[in-house]
Amino acid sequence: MAASSNSSLSGSSVSSDAEEYQPPIWKSYLYQLQQEAPRPKRIICPREVENRPKYYGREFHGIISREQADELLGGVEGAYILRESQRQPGCYTLALRFGNQTLNYRLFHDGKHFVGEKRFESIHDLVTDGLITLYIETKAAEYISKMTTNPIYEHIGYATLLREKVSRRLSRSKNEPRKTNVTHEEHTAVEKVHTFRGPHWCEYCANFMWGLIAQGVRCSDCGLNVHKQCSKHVPNDCQPDLKRIKKVYCCDLTTLVKAHNTQRPMVVDICIREIEARGLKSEGLYRVSGFTEHIEDVKMAFDRDGEKADISANVYPDINIITGALKLYFRDLPIPVITYDTYSKFIDAAKISNADERLEAVHEVLMLLPPAHYETLRYLMIHLKKVTMNEKDNFMNAENLGIVFGPTLMRPPEDSTLTTLHDMRYQKLIVQILIENEDVLF
């Protein structure tokens, strides 16, 4: 998304034709303010400070008073230092110059730095984000308080299918049997604080989402991105609009199936059908890699043509290209098939030594998966069970497939190489258990 070239602070572009989607005009005022915010200026201590915490740098000045800190900052906007409290040794303070005064914040560290809810990898990022927030909330307090009064939400696509769904439900004959489908149950959307990479605008009020991290919330179902305060005004029973789904890969799984009104992502169905039609006996199935360039071609075909993508043997005779494209789809999901919320519960279940208790624990955690994730995992496990039934030809048993699909289907919430390496054997075991017991677990 890009900001409007002019500072259009009211309204949005709405098509008079409901069938012709018109992108809104994103409001640039808050973006401009973020660009104007003071930049952090680290005041370095000229001497080596004894007992300096290892997670602080040379901006740490040891035990000094507020008055001394104020003098060191020299009245420079954005200047900051860290100090240890004179009154409470072992407690640390961020002294920051903003608005012609020195602000003091109690500073904490638990692996990341924080003074409030947000947690940062570095002090520099913490101060940068703080200065942006202070500047915008000082300059635009009244503007921010009125952001929700002229929403664009009704016009940007997410609401259109919801309105159509309600209309169809009201007009449906009483005698018409109601279809039941686990994937399309009405639900309460789950919104999570999210860090957006690069400039993002709120899809409720069209205003810029300011800050370095945790700038807003994202709906885990439809992918709607909004300010935290705007999220209170968004309906819970959201439904994504197919017109806004521009690709298949890298799209939230639930968003994709709801937009296409399917049980599972069509890429999963199409790839598995092709693999079962001509590849179950292929040696090293899923373990052997296809050419990366050809796998990318398949990805582009799905993104461009959707369910009409041609992945037949005439176009891609090597079945490993199709298996590679399926694995890439799972790896590219923003939320893995085994979701971040359930990851630790699955790992804990894998650590249970008693086989029966472990199986029961895995089953309980499966019930916590969102419907689309559960259905996709169920369908994949049925397929992988068929792969193991051809082990004498393809040499792929449940354990081998667990090694391949463990890190593909589940990733730890925190981006930690150490955690990933430590959990690999449990990831493998979970997938192995799911394959071997798919008829019991699903």
Side-chain angles (χ1 to χ4, degrees):
M1 299 176 189
S4 170
S5 58
N6 55 26
S7 185
S8 178
L9 304 182
S10 62
S12 59
S13 174
V14 183
S15 172
S16 58
D17 181 359
E19 293 302 313
E20 185 178 350
Y21 171 70
Q22 294 279 337
I25 297 175
W26 304 107
K27 304 172 187 178
S28 60
Y29 177 51
L30 298 180
Y31 176 75
Q32 291 168 359
L33 287 183
Q34 174 159 310
Q35 298 301 101
E36 297 169 7
R39 298 293 186 262
K41 301 173 183 66
R42 184 172 71 145
I43 307 300
I44 294 174
C45 184
R47 58 185 175 82
E48 188 64 36
V49 180
E50 291 186 10
N51 301 320
R52 181 181 73 193
K54 61 183 180 181
Y55 39 81
Y56 294 146
R58 295 192 59 191
E59 68 276 6
F60 182 75
H61 288 250
I63 300 177
I64 59 174
S65 66
R66 288 192 173 203
E67 293 72 23
Q68 289 172 303
D70 191 48
E71 186 177 342
L72 285 169
L73 295 174
V76 179
E77 280 288 277
Y80 71 94
I81 66 167
L82 308 183
R83 63 182 181 86
E84 187 172 359
S85 173
Q86 283 184 321
R87 298 175 184 175
Q88 295 178 287
C91 294
Y92 304 100
T93 299
L94 166 66
L96 172 65
R97 193 72 184 173
F98 178 80
N100 298 319
Q101 60 179 322
T102 299
L103 307 175
N104 290 278
Y105 298 93
R106 179 77 178 274
L107 189 60
F108 302 91
H109 183 269
D110 63 355
K112 293 188 177 181
H113 304 280
F114 62 101
V115 297
E117 291 182 357
K118 294 185 178 182
R119 282 163 164 72
F120 299 84
E121 296 289 347
S122 70
I123 293 292
H124 181 85
D125 286 350
L126 184 153
V127 175
T128 302
D129 186 85
L131 287 169
I132 290 169
T133 301
L134 286 167
Y135 188 79
I136 288 179
E137 291 182 354
T138 299
K139 293 282 186 179
E142 184 178 358
Y143 181 89
I144 291 171
S145 69
K146 296 178 180 178
M147 283 195 312
T148 60
T149 58
N150 189 24
I152 63 164
Y153 174 78
E154 291 295 322
H155 311 300
I156 66 169
Y158 284 86
T160 58
L161 280 188
L162 177 60
R163 286 196 297 271
E164 291 169 8
K165 187 172 74 171
V166 172
S167 298
R168 286 197 300 270
R169 187 188 308 138
L170 292 175
S171 62
R172 186 170 51 197
S173 167
K174 291 182 180 180
N175 296 325
E176 183 182 346
R178 180 186 293 268
K179 294 182 180 180
T180 57
N181 189 320
V182 68
T183 308
H184 302 113
E185 291 177 346
E186 291 194 13
H187 66 289
T188 299
V190 179
E191 292 163 342
K192 294 184 178 179
V193 175
H194 188 78
T195 294
F196 300 94
R197 304 299 180 190
H200 269 72
W201 272 255
C202 175
E203 293 171 321
Y204 182 82
C205 72
N207 281 289
F208 179 66
M209 302 171 78
W210 65 89
L212 282 192
I213 69 167
Q215 302 97 327
V217 297
R218 168 173 286 177
C219 176
S220 61
D221 184 6
C222 70
L224 185 71
N225 304 317
V226 293
H227 292 110
K228 193 172 183 180
Q229 59 266 47
C230 292
S231 68
K232 300 170 186 175
H233 302 276
V234 178
N236 278 333
D237 53 346
C238 55
Q239 174 82 9
D241 192 327
L242 186 56
K243 295 170 188 172
R244 292 185 58 81
I245 309 302
K246 301 300 183 185
K247 56 186 178 179
V248 173
Y249 280 68
C250 302
C251 178
D252 176 71
L253 194 155
T254 300
T255 299
L256 190 68
V257 301
K258 286 173 70 67
H260 287 273
N261 195 30
T262 58
Q263 286 187 302
R264 299 171 298 273
M266 96 287 255
V267 62
V268 175
D269 281 7
I270 294 171
C271 285
I272 285 178
R273 278 201 303 268
E274 190 69 24
I275 293 163
E276 291 186 354
R278 60 183 173 101
L280 286 178
K281 297 183 184 297
S282 178
E283 184 175 340
L285 190 67
Y286 286 111
R287 179 179 54 79
V288 177
S289 299
F291 286 113
T292 303
E293 296 85 354
H294 294 166
I295 292 171
E296 285 293 327
D297 287 344
V298 174
K299 173 183 175 179
M300 290 172 60
F302 276 116
D303 283 342
R304 182 184 63 247
D305 304 326
E307 62 186 16
K308 295 180 180 179
D310 184 0
I311 61 169
S312 66
N314 293 332
V315 183
Y316 301 104
D318 182 3
I319 197 63
N320 297 311
I321 294 169
I322 311 305
T323 59
L326 181 60
K327 289 187 293 182
L328 179 62
Y329 171 76
F330 290 130
R331 286 198 302 272
D332 278 355
L333 285 172
I335 300 174
V337 176
I338 292 178
T339 61
Y340 293 127
D341 286 345
T342 59
Y343 179 86
S344 62
K345 295 181 178 66
F346 273 108
I347 295 298
D348 290 342
K351 294 177 181 178
I352 298 173
S353 56
N354 182 278
D356 291 336
E357 292 178 5
R358 183 171 59 220
L359 194 63
E360 181 61 29
V362 170
H363 182 260
E364 288 179 4
V365 185
L366 278 173
M367 296 300 102
L368 301 177
L369 289 174
H373 288 248
Y374 176 90
E375 172 58 25
T376 301
L377 189 62
R378 183 192 71 82
Y379 190 73
L380 177 63
M381 291 305 118
I382 292 173
H383 164 65
L384 294 182
K385 186 68 170 285
K386 293 178 184 177
V387 174
T388 65
M389 292 168 65
N390 290 272
E391 182 188 352
K392 63 182 177 62
D393 296 305
N394 60 38
F395 301 104
M396 295 300 289
N397 57 26
E399 183 178 5
N400 293 336
L401 290 169
I403 293 171
V404 172
F405 278 95
T408 301
L409 298 176
M410 55 194 304
R411 304 190 296 270
E414 65 280 0
D415 187 15
S416 167
T417 304
L418 191 61
T419 302
T420 302
L421 290 173
H422 179 266
D423 290 349
M424 281 184 69
R425 57 176 173 158
Y426 300 117
Q427 294 172 350
K428 180 211 76 171
L429 181 57
I430 286 295
V431 175
Q432 182 179 343
I433 291 169
L434 293 175
I435 296 171
E436 292 174 342
N437 301 278
E438 57 83 18
D439 55 334
V440 177
L441 290 171
F442 294 96

